[in-house]
């Protein structure tokens, strides 16, 4: 039986120049439920799909406020995300104490990425199994960053991570040109539509999705439950109305192909309850 | 009678006087303190030190618990579009005019200037801290720089932190500059972390000599020429009255265009006023 000789340890290279343990960690990100982020000229929005372990349990939170001007959406191991969240909150508080100003988003993301990177180069450590979408607003406007267990990070206009995120990305790619001038409300709707595209079954409800908004003059706010309900209603009306439903239908169709492509991930996603403590 | 500690004897001004102020005066003590080698009754610095005595009397010796080489007042005003800072270039060793070309104003980054009075070596240390921050910003290369308000806040924390360790940095600092959004910032930090912002500030002796003039003549929308004229007048008054200053000054301005620290210059002075020859002639209570 084939056995990979190069994946028992983070610091061992494969002859092809790959670090399998790091790649496995990146795989963990893909198995968390979907998180979407997008930016306009003034605002940044996060939208997440929450999972519940079973019918009796609550839905696992995926959006965390870091500071008044910044928050994160996570996908992957929730526990790892919580640790990084605590670190980021701490850094923001320290920055506020010393400089009496809010921390630049990019600076903090770089520090987090450095934390990730260290874990890919130490034999006694394990990479973080979580991807972050960091949305914030600082002196240089709104920002959206994505971090990765490999230590890489990128800034995006719009991005989606997690299970079946390809469908969301397809939606975002189709519509991102409208984002810069969109109003916060339109942004939230775009976020929810992108998120809906990643659904394999069921639909968005006020219980299984959460949205966050941050921007010029408005501090980071998470919309959950009744706060997100009106937006979901708007989506439903759009769908019923006909014209508005088209983009969603298209995105869903493409999403179907993408889901097939990432079929392995999706399968693990459904049956992985007992395995690693993933979200939900 | 105990010698009354004077603040300007250290060229530093109120709030920044030495620990001799912590010594109880005869009004508090039931008997006058006896002179020791470490604390001569004359108020002079101790000239001989028996380490064992120091150990038992005041705990271990801590260097720079007193200022040695000091700079005197720093003056600064806001004007239309920026901040102007001024001070002389003297580093005084006690009363000796020891170093006459010390620059006491530094450029932190394109938007911020800091000037200092007090212990020069401590200021050099602070300069290094600020240089490290500016270098960090530069090499991060994301276009983000500390604004004057952030530098001010940082210095406040540093100064208070050192005071908390009972090892203060012996300086009064002035921070001036222009924020990214164009607002003009001016503030001052004392050696124990006391701080405030205002339209005009002055440290040390200047707080008494220059600020009354600033109150009368300064306004936030005054022209650059007016601000410079005001500062020159204030510097002249400080030079007339402050023993530990010399007639060699620097003026720096921090505007939206950046920080410009001027070359040293001397002021025209006139010493043959009658009042200077007999200073107490008509003063009430004088003889």
């Amino acid at each position: 039986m084939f056995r990979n000789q190069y994946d028992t340890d983070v610091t061992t290279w494969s002859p092809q120049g790959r670090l399998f343990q790091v790649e496995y960690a990146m795989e963990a990100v893909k198995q968390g439920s979907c998180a979407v982020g997008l930016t306009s000229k003034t605002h940044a929005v996060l939208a997440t799909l929450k999972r519940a372990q079973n019918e009796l349990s609550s839905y696992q939170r995926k959006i965390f406020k870091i500071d008044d001007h910044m928050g994160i959406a996570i996908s992957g191991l929730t526990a790892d995300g919580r640790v990084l969240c605590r670190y980021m909150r701490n850094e923001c508080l320290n920055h506020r104490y010393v400089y009496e100003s809010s921390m630049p988003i990019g600076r903090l993301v770089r520090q987090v990425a450095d934390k990730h990177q260290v874990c890919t180069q130490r034999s006694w450590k394990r990479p973080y199994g979580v991807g972050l979408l960091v949305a914030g607003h600082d002196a240089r406007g709104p920002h959206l960053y994505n971090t990765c267990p490999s230590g890489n990070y990128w800034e995006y206009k719009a991005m989606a991570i997690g299970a079946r995120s390809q469908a969301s990305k397809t939606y975002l790619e189709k519509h991102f040109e409208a984002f810069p001038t969109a109003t916060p409300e339109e942004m939230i709707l775009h976020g929810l539509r992108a998120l809906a595209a990643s659904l394999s079954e069921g639909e968005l409800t006020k219980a299984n999705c959460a949205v966050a908004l941050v921007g010029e003059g408005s501090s980071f706010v998470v919309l959950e439950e009744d706060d997100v309900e009106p937006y979901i209603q708007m989506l439903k009306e759009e769908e019923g109305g006909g014209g508005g439903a088209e983009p969603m239908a298209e995105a869903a169709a493409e999403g179907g192909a993408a889901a097939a492509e990432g079929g392995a991930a999706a399968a693990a996603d459904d049956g992985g309850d007992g395995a690693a403590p993933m979200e939900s | 009678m105990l010698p009354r500690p004077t603040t300007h004897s250290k060229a530093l001004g109120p709030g920044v006087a030495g620990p001799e102020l912590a010594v109880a005066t005869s009004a508090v003590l039931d008997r006058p303190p006896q002179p020791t080698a470490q604390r001569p009754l004359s108020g002079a610095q101790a000239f001989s030190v028996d380490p064992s005595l120091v150990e038992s009397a005041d705990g271990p010796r801590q260097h720079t618990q007193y200022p040695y080489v000091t700079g005197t007042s720093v003056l600064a005003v806001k004007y239309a579009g920026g901040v102007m800072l001024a001070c002389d270039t003297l580093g005084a060793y006690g009363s000796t005019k020891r170093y006459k070309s010390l620059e006491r104003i530094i450029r932190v980054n394109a938007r911020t200037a800091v000037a200092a009075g007090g212990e020069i070596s401590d200021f050099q240390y602070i300069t290094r801290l600020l240089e490290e921050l500016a270098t960090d910003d530069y090499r991060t290369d994301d276009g983000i720089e500390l604004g004057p308000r952030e530098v001010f806040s940082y210095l406040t924390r540093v100064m208070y932190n050192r005071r908390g360790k009972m090892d203060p940095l012996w300086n009064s600092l002035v921070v001036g500059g222009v924020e990214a959004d164009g607002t003009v910032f001016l503030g001052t930090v004392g050696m124990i972390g006391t701080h405030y912002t205002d339209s005009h500030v002055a440290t040390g002796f200047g707080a008494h000599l220059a600020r009354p003039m600033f109150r009368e003549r300064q306004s936030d929308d005054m022209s650059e020429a007016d601000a410079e004229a005001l500062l020159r007048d204030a510097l002249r008054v400080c030079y007339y009255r402050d023993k530990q200053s010399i007639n060699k000054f620097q003026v720096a301005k921090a505007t939206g265009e950046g920080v410009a620290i001027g070359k040293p210059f001397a002021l025209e002075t006139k010493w043959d006023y009658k009042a200077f020859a007999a200073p107490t002639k008509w003063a009430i209570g004088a003889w």
Side-chain angles (χ1 to χ4, degrees), chain B residues 8-241:
Chain B
H8 67 270
S9 67
K10 300 279 191 236
L12 288 174
V16 285
E20 71 269 22
L21 279 183
V23 175
T25 59
S26 54
V28 184
L29 295 169
D30 29 351
R31 62 176 174 76
Q34 300 306 303
T36 66
Q38 284 67 47
R39 191 179 294 144
L41 200 55
S42 65
Q45 297 285 313
F47 61 91
S48 67
V49 175
D50 175 359
S52 66
L53 271 177
V54 174
E55 201 68 43
S56 59
D58 294 324
R61 187 184 174 108
Q62 290 175 297
H63 284 283
T64 74
Q65 292 296 78
Y66 286 94
Y68 282 84
V69 178
T70 57
T72 184
S73 324
V74 177
L75 319 177
V77 293
K78 278 189 196 175
Y79 64 93
V83 170
M84 199 174 283
L85 305 97
C87 61
D88 71 6
T89 60
L90 175 67
Y93 181 69
S95 301
T96 307
K97 292 175 172 45
R98 182 67 184 81
Y99 306 103
K100 296 188 180 177
S101 294
L102 284 178
E103 299 206 350
R104 297 198 282 125
I105 309 178
I106 57 161
R107 173 191 183 278
V108 179
N109 56 35
R111 283 149 52 184
T112 314
V114 169
E119 169 63 37
I120 295 299
S121 68
D122 284 352
F123 178 53
Q124 286 169 337
Y125 168 70
I126 290 168
T127 303
R128 205 177 75 206
L129 295 179
L130 293 174
E131 269 171 8
E132 279 170 15
L133 288 183
T135 308
D136 268 358
D137 282 346
Y138 174 77
R139 69 158 190 227
T140 306
D141 197 25
D142 55 5
I144 298 173
E145 270 189 340
L146 288 177
R149 187 176 291 280
E150 289 169 312
V151 171
F152 175 71
S153 174
Y154 170 78
L155 289 174
T156 303
R157 301 299 182 257
V158 170
M159 299 302 267
Y160 183 73
N161 181 259
R162 289 292 297 263
R163 170 231 106 112
K165 291 176 177 164
M166 299 297 282
D167 186 16
L169 294 169
W170 214 282
N171 297 104
S172 300
L173 304 168
V174 173
V175 183
V178 180
E179 298 286 351
D181 64 5
T183 50
V184 178
F185 178 87
L186 179 60
T188 177
V189 193
M191 67 178 280
I192 56 175
T194 49
H195 57 285
Y196 58 88
T197 61
D198 209 338
S199 290
H200 51 81
V201 299
T203 70
F205 217 176
H208 306 279
L209 296 174
R211 287 201 80 189
M213 300 178 67
F214 292 164
R215 286 186 198 113
E216 273 181 24
R217 290 170 54 187
Q218 189 271 347
S219 69
D220 287 357
D221 53 359
M222 70 198 298
S223 72
E224 191 177 310
D226 287 350
E228 181 152 8
L230 171 58
L231 277 180
R232 280 171 179 254
D233 286 351
L235 284 172
R236 188 179 290 112
V237 169
C238 286
Y239 174 56
Y240 280 148
R241 295 291 175 181

Side-chain angles (χ1 to χ4, degrees), chain A residues 97-101 107 140, chain B residues 137 142-144 150 153 157:
Chain A
Y97 170 67
V98 174
Y99 300 104
E100 288 181 14
S101 66
R107 295 271 177 103
R140 302 176 80 78
Chain B
D137 282 346
D142 55 5
I144 298 173
E150 289 169 312
S153 174
R157 301 299 182 257

